[in-house]
Amino acid sequence: MPFAFLLYTFYSLNYLIISIMEQQIQQVSDDTLVDLQEEYNKTDIQTIIDNLEADLVGLKPVKNRIREISALLLIDRIRKTLGLSSSSPGLHMSFTGSPGTGKTTVALKMADILYKLGYIRKGHLLTVTRDDLVGQYIGHTAPKTKEVLKKAMGGVLFIDEAYYLYKPDNERDYGSEAIEILLQVMENQRDDLVVILAGYKERMDVFYESNPGLASRIANHVHFPDYSAEELIQIGKIMLEEQQYKLTPTAESALLQYITLRKDQPLFANARSMKNALDRARMRQANRIFETDNNLVLTKADLVTLDEQDIRQSRIFDLATPAAPANPYAAYGTPGYVAPTYG
């Protein structure tokens, strides 16, 4: 079959397809009605947002931001069904905040929302750190990074403590190679992968200043504020309820005092610090019961109740409160650094 005939057939079919699409667009008038509630219900987004509300205490600014992003994506999808042209909304995100503020949990919900709206194919979340992307020798970084990107395709790639990718003081560091590969994929395959960069706010700000190419590709910045002491108590009670424990009123007061003091100490990690405190309180409770009397007949109440002394045995109550550094994580990972522990 002559090549000229094949070429003519190709262009004829292409012209026919474009003509049909234009006719369909013209048939949609300005008065065309769209049931927004119906379109919203189709996506099941409200269930995800309700779960987010139920799973996370506080974080009102974060929840509002997620709703705003969801609204933008829903309207963009409706516009496409009506044949309205518009550039695809930027989906790459930056989550900043202290450890233990729910960034990974929100990333999981965001992956669900993007999947429900058809912006990603699979809806899975892959969480990685520098060690998963950067190699130890020449030629090692590129295959590691590409393998991670391959696994993440069709979903969301969550890079925690992303600032560790960039170490300008080390000439032999290969983090910049991983960043270059990441930049290319974020631009060229943005329709098949959403990247969320996460970390401590001050360090992320410096990271973006040093890597303007990355900063320009991040459309959505979401900051996660620290929890208040009262919110952390609420979180702690939820954690205990899930494990079938409860606090006496005096124990709850002691825990509030504990977390207020702990917030002023270095390496405070919000909900993670609360979980650690409760784990140690459970250990003290078990030890208290064991040492009381081996012949003691226990009741269910004995086994589920944390008392005031289970909280107050923490040495945080004996520590003077030092002035917290501007960035309590600044020394983390430096040679000779030893993280303090709080019982």
Side-chain angles (χ1 to χ4, degrees):
M1 187 177 293
F3 175 75
F5 178 76
L6 287 174
L7 190 62
Y8 172 78
T9 304
F10 170 78
Y11 281 113
S12 297
L13 287 172
N14 192 45
Y15 176 77
L16 179 61
I17 291 171
I18 292 174
S19 298
I20 292 173
M21 291 177 63
E22 289 177 344
Q23 289 174 12
Q24 291 175 340
I25 292 172
Q26 289 171 0
Q27 290 173 0
V28 179
S29 69
D30 291 342
D31 297 327
T32 299
L33 300 178
V34 177
D35 190 331
L36 183 60
Q37 188 62 50
E38 181 182 347
E39 294 296 325
Y40 185 74
N41 292 339
K42 286 179 183 177
T43 65
D44 202 29
I45 292 176
Q46 189 58 51
T47 301
I48 300 171
I49 292 178
D50 289 343
N51 290 338
L52 183 66
E53 192 71 44
D55 294 345
L56 288 178
V57 172
L59 298 179
K60 186 175 180 180
V62 174
K63 294 171 181 176
N64 288 340
R65 189 77 178 95
I66 297 305
R67 288 191 184 93
E68 291 171 357
I69 295 172
S70 300
L72 171 64
L73 298 180
L74 178 61
I75 295 300
D76 179 70
R77 195 176 83 156
I78 293 173
R79 284 174 56 89
K80 288 178 179 177
T81 62
L82 296 178
L84 297 172
S85 62
S86 62
S87 58
S88 297
L91 299 178
H92 301 311
M93 305 178 193
S94 172
F95 286 3
T96 57
S98 302
T101 49
K103 294 187 291 295
T104 304
T105 300
V106 173
L108 281 166
K109 303 298 183 185
M110 198 68 239
D112 283 343
I113 290 172
L114 292 169
Y115 175 70
K116 298 288 187 183
L117 287 170
Y119 284 93
I120 52 178
R121 292 182 290 113
K122 299 179 181 178
H124 67 294
L125 178 81
L126 180 62
T127 301
V128 298
T129 62
R130 172 192 163 88
D131 291 342
D132 300 299
L133 299 168
V134 182
Q136 301 298 317
Y137 49 84
I138 294 175
H140 191 206
T141 295
K144 282 190 72 173
T145 302
K146 290 177 181 178
E147 181 62 26
V148 166
L149 290 169
K150 181 180 178 181
K151 292 178 181 178
M153 281 299 165
V156 176
L157 177 63
F158 184 85
I159 306 178
D160 200 13
E161 297 184 314
Y163 35 73
Y164 285 127
L165 291 175
Y166 183 67
K167 294 185 177 181
D169 297 334
N170 186 351
E171 295 180 358
R172 299 183 61 183
D173 184 70
Y174 305 111
S176 57
E177 184 179 355
I179 292 174
E180 286 300 320
I181 296 171
L182 188 63
L183 279 171
Q184 294 175 15
V185 173
M186 289 174 69
E187 181 63 29
N188 300 331
Q189 296 177 265
R190 59 183 180 274
D191 293 333
D192 200 31
L193 178 68
V194 174
V195 175
I196 299 178
L197 304 176
Y200 197 78
K201 188 177 189 309
E202 285 74 11
R203 289 192 175 190
M204 290 299 291
D205 289 343
V206 174
F207 177 62
Y208 289 134
E209 289 175 4
S210 304
N211 296 273
L214 270 177
S216 65
R217 287 168 173 80
I218 302 295
N220 303 287
H221 291 262
V222 183
H223 180 64
F224 290 67
D226 287 339
Y227 289 110
S228 67
E230 290 74 19
E231 288 172 337
L232 286 167
I233 290 296
Q234 189 177 347
I235 291 170
K237 291 170 75 172
I238 293 172
M239 291 176 177
L240 288 175
E241 185 178 350
E242 290 174 348
Q243 300 176 63
Q244 295 187 300
Y245 281 88
K246 64 180 180 179
L247 297 164
T248 64
T250 54
E252 183 174 335
S253 297
L255 185 61
L256 178 60
Q257 185 180 355
Y258 168 90
I259 208 64
T260 301
L261 293 170
R262 182 65 184 88
K263 280 170 67 70
D264 292 330
Q265 301 296 330
L267 298 181
F268 176 68
N270 288 277
R272 292 181 202 168
S273 291
M274 173 57 76
K275 182 181 183 302
N276 292 338
L278 293 176
D279 286 344
R280 288 190 288 269
R282 289 171 54 204
M283 182 174 62
R284 295 189 196 101
Q285 180 232 34
N287 191 55
R288 169 173 58 81
I289 293 173
F290 185 78
E291 291 184 345
T292 300
D293 187 349
N294 289 339
N295 297 319
L296 178 68
V297 177
L298 298 175
T299 66
K300 178 181 177 181
D302 294 326
L303 296 172
V304 303
T305 304
L306 297 182
D307 206 347
E308 179 180 7
Q309 60 184 307
D310 301 325
I311 306 297
R312 290 201 178 276
Q313 285 179 14
S314 169
R315 64 190 188 90
I316 196 78
F317 293 102
D318 300 325
L319 293 174
T321 305
N327 180 356
Y329 289 82
Y332 182 75
T334 58
Y337 174 76
V338 177
T341 57
Y342 302 95

